[in-house]
Amino acid sequence: MPSFKNLKELEKYINEQAKKALQNGKYVKNTVIETGKKHVDKEVYIYQPKQYERTGLLRESWDVENTDDGIAVFNTRTDGEKYIPETIEYGINYDYTGYGYAYEKPRPFIAETRRELKDSNILKEAMKKDLK
């Protein structure tokens, strides 16, 4: 284990190790994605019929990128040039009407995912696993 001359060096080392754990580990990434999928099911797929040709595309469209701070997890679902998560999250730019559901209503699956991750210990537990 390296030695440190002061707390600032120790803090830098710990932050570097945490960043490596986030970028190379699987538990935090999987926890965020699985929580996001759960909120797609809970917040978005609430209409009838529950099954049609695009069902599941939003739920399964997740990606992770390394950032300067660690990682960014985001939904990648598009329809042509249209970024679907933005439309669903905020209820703007809907193209479909007349299906018996108010599509223009925001269905904030991203905000709810963030809220759950913030208000629980599941990320902390996942990070512990990635650090090991």
Side-chain angles (χ1 to χ4, degrees):
M1 175 152 174
S3 59
F4 308 97
K5 297 177 184 172
N6 55 48
L7 287 176
K8 195 164 193 100
E9 286 183 7
L10 175 60
E11 178 184 23
K12 181 180 176 187
Y13 175 78
I14 290 171
N15 288 336
E16 288 171 356
Q17 296 307 307
K19 180 179 171 180
K20 284 181 188 176
L22 281 171
Q23 292 179 342
N24 298 324
K26 65 180 181 182
Y27 293 102
V28 170
K29 294 171 187 174
N30 289 342
T31 297
V32 173
I33 290 170
E34 290 305 314
T35 304
K37 286 180 178 182
K38 180 176 80 173
H39 282 285
V40 167
D41 290 342
K42 185 177 176 183
E43 311 297 330
V44 181
Y45 294 152
I46 58 176
Y47 47 80
Q48 294 295 329
K50 288 206 176 271
Q51 187 69 33
Y52 67 102
E53 67 183 64
R54 294 181 313 221
T55 299
L57 295 177
L58 181 71
R59 186 180 194 285
E60 300 304 322
S61 299
W62 296 90
D63 202 0
V64 180
E65 287 183 357
N66 290 343
T67 66
D68 291 340
D69 297 334
I71 60 171
V73 180
F74 51 94
N75 192 286
T76 60
R77 173 73 168 97
T78 59
D79 188 5
E81 296 292 317
K82 188 176 192 178
Y83 182 57
I84 300 301
E86 181 178 69
T87 299
I88 294 171
E89 185 78 10
Y90 302 109
I92 56 173
N93 297 322
Y94 274 103
D95 296 333
Y96 304 101
T97 58
Y99 291 102
Y101 180 79
Y103 282 100
E104 295 81 15
K105 177 182 174 190
R107 294 174 280 165
F109 71 100
I110 295 171
E112 289 301 314
T113 299
R114 286 181 180 146
R115 183 199 52 74
E116 180 176 344
L117 293 171
K118 180 180 175 235
D119 293 348
S120 70
N121 286 327
I122 57 177
L123 275 182
K124 181 179 176 181
E125 296 304 314
M127 185 65 176
K128 283 182 189 179
K129 291 177 182 179
D130 279 340
L131 284 167
K132 288 181 182 182

